[in-house]
Amino acid sequence: MPRTSIASSAGQRIAEASITLQQPVPDPTALMGRPLVNLRHFPNLTAGQHDKPAVHELVMAVLDDAAVSDAWAGTADLSFLPAHGEELADLPVRRTGKGFHFDLAYTVTDLTTLTD
């Protein structure tokens, strides 16, 4: 049975991903080979300054004590859905590779700012 995740923005579905789990991942530490990147965004709530966020930066987390468990791989599907005021659906999904489902724990010890 597939597991499905949905992303939304302003109450609208903008993306849907599903994975059908097929086999355990023999070496779950290999799943941590990619960087963890986040967008930190804190809006400015002062009247007249809503278009100038207090923080808006792309950062890469520096992790410590990362642990992965109960890792499974399988076939995956990804769809970007049209939503009013959103542009994500304009990006075509050309292909999907394997999908993964796993438990992850880590401590963020630092951040590297990628953009201002």
Side-chain angles (χ1 to χ4, degrees):
M1 171 180 259
R3 294 179 183 224
T4 302
S5 295
I6 296 168
S8 66
S9 174
Q12 304 175 91
R13 288 181 171 201
I14 59 171
E16 185 173 293
S18 65
I19 177 174
T20 301
L21 303 178
Q22 296 171 321
Q23 61 193 20
V25 175
D27 179 13
T29 59
L31 298 172
M32 293 302 298
R34 295 178 185 233
L36 181 61
V37 176
N38 293 297
L39 175 65
R40 296 180 65 233
H41 179 87
F42 299 94
N44 189 335
L45 301 179
T46 305
Q49 296 184 20
H50 296 177
D51 62 338
K52 299 174 186 168
V55 175
H56 186 85
E57 61 187 6
L58 195 61
V59 296
M60 182 171 56
V62 178
L63 306 180
D64 197 18
D65 299 324
V68 177
S69 66
D70 197 24
W72 285 76
T75 58
D77 186 43
L78 175 64
S79 301
F80 295 139
L81 309 172
H84 179 72
E86 298 291 339
E87 301 171 341
L88 192 58
D90 294 339
L91 298 172
V93 177
R94 298 196 186 269
R95 65 180 169 85
T96 55
K98 286 184 180 179
F100 297 92
H101 182 273
F102 54 92
D103 298 327
L104 171 64
Y106 57 86
T107 301
V108 177
T109 55
D110 198 3
L111 295 174
T112 301
T113 302
L114 302 176
T115 63
D116 294 325

Short mmCIF file of all heavy atoms in Angstrom, two decimals, residues 5-16 81 83 86 88:
data_model
loop_
_atom_site.label_atom_id
_atom_site.label_comp_id
_atom_site.label_asym_id
_atom_site.label_seq_id
_atom_site.Cartn_x
_atom_site.Cartn_y
_atom_site.Cartn_z
N SER A 5 2.17 11.71 0.96
CA SER A 5 2.40 12.97 1.67
C SER A 5 1.92 14.11 0.79
O SER A 5 2.04 14.05 -0.44
CB SER A 5 3.88 13.18 1.98
OG SER A 5 4.32 12.19 2.88
N ILE A 6 1.38 15.13 1.42
CA ILE A 6 0.84 16.28 0.70
C ILE A 6 1.46 17.54 1.25
O ILE A 6 1.60 17.70 2.46
CB ILE A 6 -0.69 16.33 0.84
CG1 ILE A 6 -1.32 15.09 0.20
CG2 ILE A 6 -1.26 17.60 0.22
CD1 ILE A 6 -2.77 14.90 0.52
N ALA A 7 1.83 18.46 0.35
CA ALA A 7 2.30 19.79 0.75
C ALA A 7 1.21 20.79 0.38
O ALA A 7 0.56 20.66 -0.66
CB ALA A 7 3.60 20.13 0.04
N SER A 8 1.03 21.79 1.24
CA SER A 8 0.01 22.79 0.96
C SER A 8 0.54 24.19 1.23
O SER A 8 1.51 24.37 1.97
CB SER A 8 -1.25 22.54 1.81
OG SER A 8 -0.97 22.75 3.17
N SER A 9 -0.11 25.15 0.63
CA SER A 9 0.20 26.56 0.83
C SER A 9 -1.11 27.32 0.84
O SER A 9 -1.92 27.16 -0.08
CB SER A 9 1.11 27.07 -0.29
OG SER A 9 1.31 28.46 -0.17
N ALA A 10 -1.34 28.09 1.87
CA ALA A 10 -2.56 28.89 2.00
C ALA A 10 -3.80 28.02 1.84
O ALA A 10 -4.77 28.41 1.20
CB ALA A 10 -2.55 30.04 1.01
N GLY A 11 -3.75 26.81 2.38
CA GLY A 11 -4.90 25.91 2.34
C GLY A 11 -5.12 25.21 1.02
O GLY A 11 -6.13 24.53 0.83
N GLN A 12 -4.19 25.33 0.08
CA GLN A 12 -4.30 24.69 -1.22
C GLN A 12 -3.23 23.61 -1.36
O GLN A 12 -2.08 23.84 -1.01
CB GLN A 12 -4.09 25.70 -2.36
CG GLN A 12 -5.00 26.90 -2.32
CD GLN A 12 -4.60 27.87 -3.41
OE1 GLN A 12 -5.11 27.80 -4.51
NE2 GLN A 12 -3.68 28.76 -3.11
N ARG A 13 -3.61 22.46 -1.92
CA ARG A 13 -2.61 21.43 -2.21
C ARG A 13 -1.71 21.92 -3.34
O ARG A 13 -2.20 22.35 -4.38
CB ARG A 13 -3.29 20.14 -2.66
CG ARG A 13 -3.99 19.41 -1.57
CD ARG A 13 -4.61 18.16 -2.11
NE ARG A 13 -5.10 17.35 -1.02
CZ ARG A 13 -5.33 16.07 -1.10
NH1 ARG A 13 -5.13 15.42 -2.21
NH2 ARG A 13 -5.77 15.40 -0.05
N ILE A 14 -0.40 21.83 -3.13
CA ILE A 14 0.53 22.24 -4.18
C ILE A 14 1.42 21.09 -4.65
O ILE A 14 1.99 21.15 -5.73
CB ILE A 14 1.40 23.44 -3.76
CG1 ILE A 14 2.24 23.12 -2.52
CG2 ILE A 14 0.55 24.68 -3.53
CD1 ILE A 14 3.27 24.17 -2.16
N ALA A 15 1.52 20.03 -3.84
CA ALA A 15 2.34 18.87 -4.22
C ALA A 15 1.83 17.63 -3.52
O ALA A 15 1.31 17.69 -2.41
CB ALA A 15 3.81 19.10 -3.88
N GLU A 16 2.00 16.50 -4.21
CA GLU A 16 1.63 15.21 -3.63
C GLU A 16 2.70 14.21 -4.01
O GLU A 16 3.11 14.13 -5.16
CB GLU A 16 0.27 14.78 -4.16
CG GLU A 16 -0.25 13.51 -3.54
CD GLU A 16 -1.67 13.20 -3.96
OE1 GLU A 16 -2.57 13.96 -3.58
OE2 GLU A 16 -1.85 12.22 -4.69
N LEU A 81 0.77 20.31 -8.15
CA LEU A 81 -0.63 20.61 -8.46
C LEU A 81 -0.84 22.10 -8.66
O LEU A 81 -0.25 22.92 -7.96
CB LEU A 81 -1.52 20.10 -7.32
CG LEU A 81 -1.26 18.65 -6.91
CD1 LEU A 81 -2.04 18.31 -5.65
CD2 LEU A 81 -1.64 17.71 -8.04
N ALA A 83 -2.30 25.68 -8.21
CA ALA A 83 -2.93 26.39 -7.09
C ALA A 83 -2.82 27.89 -7.35
O ALA A 83 -1.80 28.36 -7.86
CB ALA A 83 -2.26 26.02 -5.78
N GLU A 86 0.44 30.25 -6.90
CA GLU A 86 1.63 29.41 -6.75
C GLU A 86 2.19 29.06 -8.12
O GLU A 86 1.45 28.93 -9.08
CB GLU A 86 1.29 28.13 -5.98
CG GLU A 86 0.81 28.37 -4.57
CD GLU A 86 1.88 28.90 -3.64
OE1 GLU A 86 3.09 28.73 -3.93
OE2 GLU A 86 1.51 29.50 -2.63
N LEU A 88 4.62 26.40 -8.48
CA LEU A 88 5.24 25.07 -8.44
C LEU A 88 4.77 24.17 -9.57
O LEU A 88 5.56 23.42 -10.16
CB LEU A 88 4.97 24.41 -7.08
CG LEU A 88 5.77 23.17 -6.75
CD1 LEU A 88 7.26 23.46 -6.78
CD2 LEU A 88 5.37 22.63 -5.39
#
